[in-house]
């Protein structure tokens, strides 16, 4: 039960927005189960690894140069650059780095990328307040961890209130850019210890900035930055609220122009949104960290089940798949969400972002290279003749019957020149069905970190994150993220 007997309460303590604000203000780290705290640290470690890998990628450099040309120096760290910027610019670029290579986390029910929204906003908020000219503050690791868990939880619940993945096909909107601003605002409000009243203002200002188009996923660099908009906008909203700038009251539940009523428009469901999903068992059931999954492939989540099908067939029929040139046709049948998200036709020349968003490309590259990781998206590997001969054999179709079986249901059929046909069906991607263990996440972190930084720095970062609740000053961790990193794919 949430205790609503608080000073500076929200405008409607028992409404959805008010309950979120009161819970976020009242929750303490000891209220959170040990396994959620532990899992959250591994999620954060993966996010940091993705940021370090993404910081010096060609498209990250393009974004950084543009922002540096526009903005003067500040006091917030730009990961991997030996640069400091104002908090809003640092948040949007650091988020862009986490999303830089499609290696980051994804939520199993509400497909947003939590680290790329929450971590950049919190790091920037901590440095902005911690290095202020008046009344500088020190934020310990316990406060940072708690604020991250709160942000993960609220962003995921906002997504569930809008039927999660349905946003991808019903609204053609980028989930994280819609779900994320409120999550960022709540996380920063928690870190800054804002009252429920000010947290409500922050959520209201954040939600009126929610936006993001799915068309960014086809070829634009802006796709990498969409969650950065959410990180920045939520941070902006909380910092404004801290100074008593008021936002929209009761923004989640308002029937006219409210967040859920607006983004619920066009829904195929009745009701169009589920405001109870924001608050049901809040603080008892953990919908955030408990449902965040870490990607094993450097590609869109909608491409993962077809990759899994091919990998399983390659393992089951090694001789048949020894020569990819012997394949006549690959038919990938998908339920509607993954088909709408990744089933588009692609043409040459192809960019890294377009390839990572394409089921045709990722299916073909698994057949060709038996891997879908960073190497597969280097510029010199994107347009290989032998790979494109396979891509042209891959066909993606929507099978309406699969919608009844599950939103990620997939069947892959491979026909060979010798007349043999093999088939594999999966209810969803291994990313969801068989999520990486914490041990696997740690191995992934090591692989990512070793491609960008030296072993001494890597060891120090992982030690601080794994003992985050005992860290006296989070700036100690931030300092380790500041020094310039390598470009893991070696391109300018």
């Amino acid at each position: 039960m949430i205790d609503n007997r608080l000073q500076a309460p929200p405008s409607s303590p028992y409404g959805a927005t008010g309950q979120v604000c009161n819970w976020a203000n009242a929750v303490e780290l000891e209220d959170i189960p040990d396994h959620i705290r532990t899992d959250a640290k591994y999620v954060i470690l993966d996010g940091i690894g993705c940021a370090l890998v993404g910081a010096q990628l060609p498209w990250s450099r393009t974004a950084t140069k543009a922002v540096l040309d526009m903005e003067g120096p500040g006091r917030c760290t730009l990961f991997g650059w030996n640069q400091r910027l104002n908090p809003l610019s640092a948040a949007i670029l650091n988020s862009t780095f986490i999303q830089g290579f499609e290696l980051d986390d994804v939520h199993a029910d509400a497909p947003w990328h939590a680290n790329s929204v929450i971590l950049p906003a919190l790091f920037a908020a901590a440095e902005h307040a911690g290095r202020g000219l008046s009344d500088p503050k020190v934020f310990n690791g316990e406060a940072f961890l708690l604020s991250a868990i709160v942000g993960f939880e609220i962003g995921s619940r906002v997504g569930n209130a809008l039927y999660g993945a349905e946003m991808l096909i019903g609204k053609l909107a980028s989930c994280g850019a819609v779900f994320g601003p409120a999550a960022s605002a709540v996380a920063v409000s928690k870190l800054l210890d804002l009252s429920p009243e000010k947290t409500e203002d922050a959520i209201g200002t954040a939600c009126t900035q929610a936006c993001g188009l799915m068309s960014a996923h086809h070829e634009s660099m802006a796709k990498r930055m969409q969650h950065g908009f959410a990180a920045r906008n939520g941070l902006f909203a909380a910092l404004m609220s801290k100074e008593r700038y008021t936002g929209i009251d009761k923004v989640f539940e308002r029937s006219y122009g409210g967040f859920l009523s607006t983004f619920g428009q066009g829904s195929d469901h009745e009701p169009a949104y589920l405001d109870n999903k924001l608050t049901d068992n809040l603080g008892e059931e953990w919908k955030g960290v408990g449902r965040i999954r870490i990607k094993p492939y450097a590609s869109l989540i909608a491409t993962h089940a077809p990759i899994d099908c091919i990998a399983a067939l390659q393992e089951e029929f090694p001789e048949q798949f020894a020569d990819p040139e012997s394949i006549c046709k690959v038919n990938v049948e998908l339920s509607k969400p993954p088909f709408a998200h990744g089933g588009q036709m692609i043409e040459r020349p192809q960019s890294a972002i377009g390839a990572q968003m394409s089921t045709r490309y990722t299916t073909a590259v698994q057949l060709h290279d038996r891997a879908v990781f960073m190497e597969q998206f280097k510029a010199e590997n994107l347009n290989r003749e032998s790979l494109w001969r396979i891509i042209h054999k891959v066909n993606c179709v929507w099978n309406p019957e699969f919608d009844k079986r599950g939103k990620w249901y997939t069947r892959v059929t491979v026909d060979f020149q010798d007349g043999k046909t093999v088939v594999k069906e999966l209810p969803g991607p291994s990313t969801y069905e068989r999520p990486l263990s914490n041990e696997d996440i740690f191995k992934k972190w090591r692989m990512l970190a070793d491609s960008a930084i030296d072993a001494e720095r890597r060891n120090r970062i992982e030690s601080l994150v794994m003992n985050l609740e005992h860290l006296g000053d989070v700036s100690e961790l931030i300092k380790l993220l500041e020094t310039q990193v390598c470009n893991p794919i070696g391109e300018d």
Side-chain angles (χ1 to χ4, degrees):
M1 179 69 68
I2 298 169
D3 185 359
N4 290 321
R5 295 171 297 176
L6 300 164
Q7 292 184 345
S11 60
S12 178
Y14 295 97
T17 309
Q19 290 186 61
V20 166
C21 295
N22 281 332
W23 174 78
N25 178 265
V27 67
E28 300 292 344
L29 196 61
E30 54 264 30
D31 299 327
I32 297 171
D34 288 344
H35 73 279
I36 294 295
R37 288 191 248 172
T38 297
D39 290 351
K41 289 185 284 188
Y42 281 95
V43 169
I44 291 169
L45 188 66
D46 185 75
I48 290 173
C50 292
L52 295 174
V53 162
Q56 291 290 340
L57 293 170
W59 38 92
S60 296
R61 290 178 178 175
T62 299
T64 301
K65 181 181 183 300
V67 173
L68 288 173
D69 286 347
M70 287 187 282
E71 303 285 356
R75 51 180 179 254
C76 297
T77 298
L78 191 59
F79 301 158
W81 274 83
N82 279 326
Q83 296 273 1
R84 293 183 188 278
L85 288 168
N86 66 64
L88 303 183
S89 295
I92 197 169
L93 285 174
N94 288 333
S95 173
T96 301
F97 300 162
I98 294 175
Q99 275 264 281
F101 222 125
E102 285 300 315
L103 281 164
D104 56 327
D105 62 277
V106 63
H107 194 275
D109 306 312
W112 70 305
H113 307 287
N115 270 326
S116 62
V117 173
I118 301 304
L119 297 189
L122 288 177
F123 280 127
E127 288 197 285
H128 180 66
R131 290 177 170 158
L133 297 178
S134 63
D135 191 27
K137 299 183 183 302
V138 173
F139 296 94
N140 61 31
E142 179 178 336
F144 187 93
L145 177 61
L146 174 60
S147 300
I149 293 171
V150 167
F152 294 156
E153 185 69 17
I154 297 307
S156 304
R157 285 175 172 269
V158 170
N160 287 337
L162 288 167
Y163 293 96
E166 298 292 324
M167 179 67 65
L168 302 176
I169 52 176
K171 315 295 183 307
L172 302 179
S174 178
C175 290
V178 174
F179 307 159
S184 172
V186 173
V188 174
S189 295
K190 181 63 177 177
L191 186 71
L192 299 180
D193 195 26
L194 300 189
S195 69
E197 178 187 37
K198 288 185 177 180
T199 301
E200 180 178 27
D201 286 328
I203 295 173
T205 301
C207 284
T208 198
Q209 301 175 82
C211 60
L213 299 178
M214 281 299 301
S215 53
H217 287 227
H218 296 314
E219 70 282 316
S220 74
M221 291 182 184
K223 191 275 172 191
R224 318 279 189 190
M225 196 175 278
Q226 297 239 61
H227 280 62
F229 299 148
R232 177 199 63 189
N233 294 346
L235 171 64
F236 172 80
L239 293 179
M240 293 295 287
S241 180
K242 178 177 178 290
E243 301 303 324
R244 300 186 182 279
Y245 193 87
T246 60
I248 303 169
D249 289 340
K250 302 183 285 292
V251 70
F252 286 136
E253 63 264 35
R254 283 202 173 187
S255 59
Y256 178 76
F259 177 83
L260 294 176
S261 62
T262 297
F263 284 101
Q265 291 184 32
S267 174
D268 292 332
H269 296 276
E270 179 58 43
Y273 55 88
L274 303 167
D275 57 356
N276 63 297
K277 293 289 186 180
L278 286 166
T279 57
D280 281 356
N281 299 312
L282 183 58
E284 299 173 12
E285 293 182 8
W286 297 92
K287 305 294 187 179
V289 173
R291 298 293 289 164
I292 290 173
R293 302 293 182 252
I294 303 301
K295 287 184 179 180
Y297 308 123
S299 62
L300 175 75
I301 185 63
T303 70
H304 287 203
I307 296 169
D308 289 333
C309 287
I310 293 296
L313 290 171
Q314 288 171 321
E315 183 176 358
E316 185 176 356
F317 305 102
E319 294 183 5
Q320 197 74 40
F321 283 89
D323 178 15
E325 297 286 352
S326 68
I327 294 172
C328 292
K329 181 182 178 182
V330 181
N331 195 49
V332 181
E333 297 171 78
L334 301 158
S335 54
K336 193 171 184 180
F339 174 75
H341 211 19
Q344 70 274 6
M345 295 293 296
I346 57 171
E347 298 177 355
R348 300 170 74 177
Q350 191 56 234
S351 66
I353 184 64
Q356 290 175 304
M357 299 295 108
S358 169
T359 299
R360 285 178 166 83
Y361 182 94
T362 52
T363 299
V365 84
Q366 174 64 33
L367 286 165
H368 190 278
D369 294 355
R370 293 176 180 259
V372 186
F373 215 65
M374 290 188 287
E375 183 74 19
Q376 282 62 51
F377 301 97
K378 289 184 175 180
E380 65 266 26
N381 290 333
L382 289 171
N383 295 294
R384 291 171 285 172
E385 290 292 339
S386 56
L387 174 60
W388 276 86
R389 285 197 292 272
I390 300 173
I391 291 172
H392 290 315
K393 298 175 183 178
V394 178
N395 182 46
C396 294
V397 297
W398 169 36
N399 186 332
E401 287 298 313
F402 287 3
D403 295 344
K404 303 171 186 175
R405 304 185 191 182
K407 60 186 176 184
W408 300 105
Y409 202 90
T410 300
R411 177 194 293 147
V412 174
T413 304
V414 185
D415 297 327
F416 292 89
Q417 292 175 357
D418 63 5
K420 185 168 184 176
T421 296
V422 295
V423 181
K424 183 66 178 180
E425 294 187 23
L426 288 173
S430 60
T431 314
Y432 292 158
E433 302 294 326
R434 301 184 305 281
L436 296 184
S437 66
N438 286 339
E439 181 181 359
D440 292 330
I441 295 170
F442 190 80
K443 289 177 182 176
K444 180 189 169 188
W445 147 255
R446 282 283 179 102
M447 180 167 55
L448 295 177
D450 287 346
S451 72
I453 60 176
D454 61 71
E456 182 180 356
R457 187 176 167 193
R458 178 204 70 195
N459 292 344
R460 186 64 180 143
I461 291 170
E462 66 192 40
S463 176
L464 292 181
V465 174
M466 289 295 96
N467 296 282
L468 196 53
E469 59 268 67
H470 306 298
L471 179 62
D473 187 347
V474 76
S475 66
E476 187 179 346
L477 173 60
I478 297 172
K479 188 171 180 59
L480 289 167
L481 307 180
E482 182 176 9
T483 308
Q484 186 152 338
V485 298
C486 303
N487 176 359
I489 62 173
E491 297 174 21
D492 294 328

